[in-house]
């Protein structure tokens, strides 16, 4: 392993099991001196909460405290209400059967789900601390903005953020259920929310510390919703809507929609990390790719189908990166030279029909094709993408230990303190084994 290579970490979701194992993984990477290479994080559901906490500590330059805070995050709900896998299986089966009763379904929807949704929100706010994150971003990028006339200042500060080579990136996987879109809410979206909230504060006549407080609070609310979209579990804690955010007038670029469990989209986002100029991406696996156990019962077959459903998008993303590596290696994908860039610029400026085709194709690559403010902004994004240099990226998987692979889907909701602590230790020891193997290659 090259100590200078930039690293991206992608965390699969899977409730308490995923959070506990990821805590052990991150702790081992810190203790072994590898975490400093991580400049990009992604995750879905529980993995998104881990990724967000890693992102926060990187921004605050307080990574030594990260294991302690991850431990607190995943032990916060370790009340032992679901003490073991057997109990979890019985509860899931009973709940599934009772949901067939319209009265039970309605009572749960009216009373249980809202309470769980509120508790989920409190958990995110308390342990990820979105306001602390937004305060760091504001002070770093918006604190010295003086001229806020027009909209030019917004573009300038957003371009400065995006061009920052020291920027730490974040990608949250989620699924918008009305349009059927696979959505990645990333750190650029979170920064856009901060800028829009600051613009809203200025439009309302706020200045100085009052405008900063308004922007930080509103952007933190958006980040809280973004994380909740990834972990919304329908009959457990409901769905999450992003339709209005107090303190932000313009949500056009901020992924309006209705969201359900990000595990139905990409668990976790891997391909978005290629934009972060990393050299390696390590995926922390919770749903095993291989299955060496006999599927002798319907329950085991159902669990295997769940694993396949979770891993199919992951395999597609791995294939995308492998294709990219192959095209780079064989010269099919390369950086444009100065003459080619000049000809591109000339055609972009002179050939309106061609430019419109390029704009249309570019919009199809984005999650929100109608969110751009004007054509000038779209063309600027296209120019930046064309000038971008691709690099070969190696992907590796910190695989779930073989003896844990027979765990059923129900095991992921066990919240016994001893179970969660044991999984943290297994994540730690498994990562040490992974690093040992990597050093011998």
């Amino acid at each position: 392993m090259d100590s200078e290579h930039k690293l991206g970490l992608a965390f699969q979701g899977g409730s308490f099991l995923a959070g506990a194992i990821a805590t052990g993984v991150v702790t081992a990477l810190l203790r072994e001196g590898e975490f400093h290479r991580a400049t990009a994080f992604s995750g879905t559901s529980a993995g998104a909460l881990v990724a967000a906490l890693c992102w926060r500590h990187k921004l605050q330059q307080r990574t030594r405290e990260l294991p302690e805070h991850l431990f607190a995050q995943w032990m916060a709900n370790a009340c032992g209400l679901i003490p073991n896998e057997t109990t979890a299986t019985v509860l899931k089966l009973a709940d599934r059967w009772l949901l067939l009763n319209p009265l039970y379904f309605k009572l749960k929807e009216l009373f249980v789900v809202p309470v769980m949704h509120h508790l989920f929100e409190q958990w995110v706010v308390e342990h990820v601390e979105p306001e602390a994150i937004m305060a760091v971003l504001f002070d770093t990028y918006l604190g010295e903005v003086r001229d806020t006339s027009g909209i030019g200042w917004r573009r300038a500060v957003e371009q400065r953020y995006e061009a920052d080579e020291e920027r730490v990136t974040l990608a949250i996987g989620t699924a918008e259920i009305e349009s059927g879109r696979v959505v990645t809410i990333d750190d650029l979206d979170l920064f856009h929310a901060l800028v829009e909230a600051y613009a809203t504060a200025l439009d309302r006549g706020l200045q100085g510390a009052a405008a900063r407080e308004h922007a930080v609070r509103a952007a933190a609310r958006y980040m809280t919703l973004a994380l909740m979209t990834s972990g919304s579990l329908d009959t457990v804690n409901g769905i999450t809507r992003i339709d209005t955010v107090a303190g932000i007038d313009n949500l056009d670029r901020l992924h309006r929609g209705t969201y359900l469990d990000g595990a139905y989209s990409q668990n976790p986002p891997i391909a978005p990390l290629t934009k972060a100029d990393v050299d390696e991406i390590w995926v922390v696996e919770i749903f095993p790719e291989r299955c060496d156990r006999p599927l002798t019962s319907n329950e085991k077959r159902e669990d295997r189908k769940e694993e396949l459903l979770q891993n199919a998008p992951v395999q597609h993303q791995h294939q995308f990166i492998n294709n990219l590596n192959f095209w780079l290696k064989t010269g099919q994908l390369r950086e444009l030279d100065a003459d080619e860039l000049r000809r591109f610029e000339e055609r972009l400026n002179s050939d309106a029909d061609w430019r419109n085709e390029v704009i249309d194709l570019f919009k199809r690559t984005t999650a929100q094709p109608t969110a751009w403010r004007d054509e000038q902004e779209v063309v600027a994004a296209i120019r930046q993408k064309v000038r971008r240099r691709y690099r070969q990226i190696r992907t590796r998987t910190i695989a779930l230990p073989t003896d844990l692979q027979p765990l059923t889907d129900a095991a992921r909701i066990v919240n016994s303190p001893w179970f969660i602590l044991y999984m943290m230790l297994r994540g730690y020891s498994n990562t040490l084994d992974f690093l040992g193997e990597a050093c011998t290659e």
Side-chain angles (χ1 to χ4, degrees):
M1 293 181 292
D2 192 327
S3 61
E4 300 302 317
H5 281 183
K6 292 183 178 181
L7 174 64
L9 293 175
F11 301 96
Q12 271 200 322
S15 200
F16 299 116
L17 175 66
I21 288 177
T23 296
V25 170
V26 172
T27 303
L29 293 177
L30 274 163
R31 300 284 164 80
E32 296 300 310
E34 293 293 332
F35 189 80
H36 76 281
R37 299 199 292 123
T39 59
F41 306 94
S42 74
T44 298
S45 192
L49 296 177
V50 173
L53 207 51
C54 291
W55 187 57
R56 167 194 153 192
H57 281 264
K58 272 283 188 174
L59 290 175
Q60 295 175 324
Q61 298 181 351
R62 293 164 55 183
T63 55
R64 291 181 62 183
E65 301 172 11
L66 179 54
E68 176 185 343
H69 288 171
L70 281 170
F71 180 86
Q73 182 184 54
W74 293 103
M75 293 299 287
N77 293 306
C79 60
L81 187 63
I82 307 176
N84 52 52
E85 187 177 357
T86 301
T87 304
T89 301
V90 171
L91 288 174
K92 291 195 72 170
L93 289 174
D95 185 65
R96 189 180 306 169
W97 182 77
L98 287 170
L99 283 172
L100 297 175
N101 184 324
L103 179 60
Y104 175 80
F105 177 84
K106 199 63 179 177
L107 287 172
K108 187 172 183 180
E109 188 179 53
L110 289 175
F111 300 105
V112 178
V113 170
V115 170
M116 295 299 292
H117 192 83
H118 176 68
L119 292 174
F120 182 30
E121 181 179 338
Q122 284 188 319
W123 188 31
V124 172
V125 170
E126 180 179 353
H127 291 281
V128 178
E129 297 185 63
E131 284 200 22
I133 295 171
M134 291 303 150
V136 171
L137 289 179
F138 187 97
D139 293 341
T140 304
Y141 297 96
L142 286 167
E144 297 184 2
V145 174
R146 295 292 178 263
D147 184 5
T148 55
S149 58
I151 64 172
W153 71 270
R154 302 187 204 180
R155 289 179 182 160
V157 75
E158 287 173 357
Q159 288 171 359
R160 178 189 165 204
Y161 177 77
E162 191 166 1
D164 187 354
E165 294 183 357
E166 301 300 318
R167 175 167 65 94
V168 184
T169 60
L170 174 70
I172 301 166
T174 187
E176 207 286 310
I177 60 178
E178 292 179 348
S179 66
R181 290 183 290 110
V182 171
V183 175
T184 302
I185 301 179
D186 60 21
D187 62 293
L188 285 174
D189 295 314
L190 301 180
F191 189 72
H192 290 330
L194 183 64
V195 173
E196 292 295 343
Y198 189 47
T200 298
L202 296 176
D203 290 342
R204 296 179 182 180
L206 300 176
Q207 297 291 331
R212 176 186 182 276
E213 182 181 355
H214 174 104
V216 166
R217 185 182 299 117
R221 174 61 181 164
Y222 176 75
M223 182 177 180
T224 300
L225 290 174
L227 289 168
M228 292 177 69
T229 66
S230 190
S232 294
L233 301 175
D234 193 14
T235 58
V236 177
N237 57 14
I239 60 177
T240 297
R241 293 181 177 86
I242 299 180
D243 46 16
T244 60
V245 177
I248 302 178
D249 290 341
N250 180 19
L251 283 180
D252 289 343
R253 294 190 298 161
L254 298 179
H255 299 288
R256 287 183 192 271
T258 303
Y259 293 86
L260 187 62
D261 194 0
Y264 291 109
S265 60
Q266 43 188 350
N267 186 13
I270 300 172
L273 294 182
T274 62
K275 300 177 184 178
D277 290 331
V278 297
D279 301 287
E280 299 176 73
I281 297 174
W282 293 353
V283 182
V284 180
E285 178 187 83
I286 303 300
F287 294 87
E289 181 177 345
R290 291 186 55 82
C291 178
D292 297 322
R293 62 190 185 277
L295 304 179
T296 54
S297 68
N298 182 63
E299 181 186 356
K300 291 180 180 179
R301 288 192 290 271
E302 287 295 321
D303 282 330
R304 185 54 184 164
K305 283 193 288 184
E306 177 71 14
E307 292 169 358
L308 293 173
L309 285 170
Q310 297 296 328
N311 285 332
V314 175
Q315 292 180 20
H316 293 163
Q317 293 179 89
H318 277 297
Q319 189 60 48
F320 165 78
I321 295 174
N322 290 336
N323 286 339
L324 196 65
N325 288 337
F326 177 76
W327 296 332
L328 285 165
K329 194 72 172 179
T330 57
Q332 298 176 72
L333 186 65
R334 60 184 177 79
E335 187 176 10
L336 299 183
D337 60 31
D339 288 338
E340 289 169 323
L341 281 173
R342 178 179 53 79
R343 288 194 293 271
F344 166 78
E345 291 282 355
E346 290 175 353
R347 189 171 186 186
L348 195 64
N349 294 328
S350 62
D351 190 337
D353 291 338
W354 183 80
R355 182 177 65 248
N356 289 335
E357 287 184 30
V358 171
I359 289 174
D360 181 61
L361 287 170
F362 174 77
K363 285 184 174 181
R364 293 182 192 180
T365 68
T366 68
Q368 289 183 293
T370 61
W372 300 92
R373 282 191 287 247
D374 52 45
E375 182 178 302
Q376 182 181 356
E377 189 176 72
V378 179
V379 171
I382 291 171
R383 286 194 175 100
Q384 185 176 18
K385 191 167 188 177
V386 169
R387 291 191 180 102
R388 180 170 171 244
R389 181 181 178 276
Y390 287 91
R391 64 169 76 190
Q392 292 197 59
I393 299 173
R394 184 181 186 186
T395 60
R396 295 174 59 88
T397 299
I398 304 179
L400 188 70
T402 304
D403 63 302
L404 297 183
Q405 293 179 8
L407 289 174
T408 66
D409 182 57
R412 299 181 183 99
I413 62 171
V414 174
N415 64 353
S416 160
W418 300 113
F419 178 85
I420 292 176
L421 183 59
Y422 176 66
M423 291 304 161
M424 290 178 180
L425 293 173
R426 292 307 308 275
Y428 186 96
S429 62
N430 190 41
T431 304
L432 295 182
D433 293 340
F434 168 83
L435 294 174
E437 292 173 3
C439 288
T440 60
E441 293 182 0

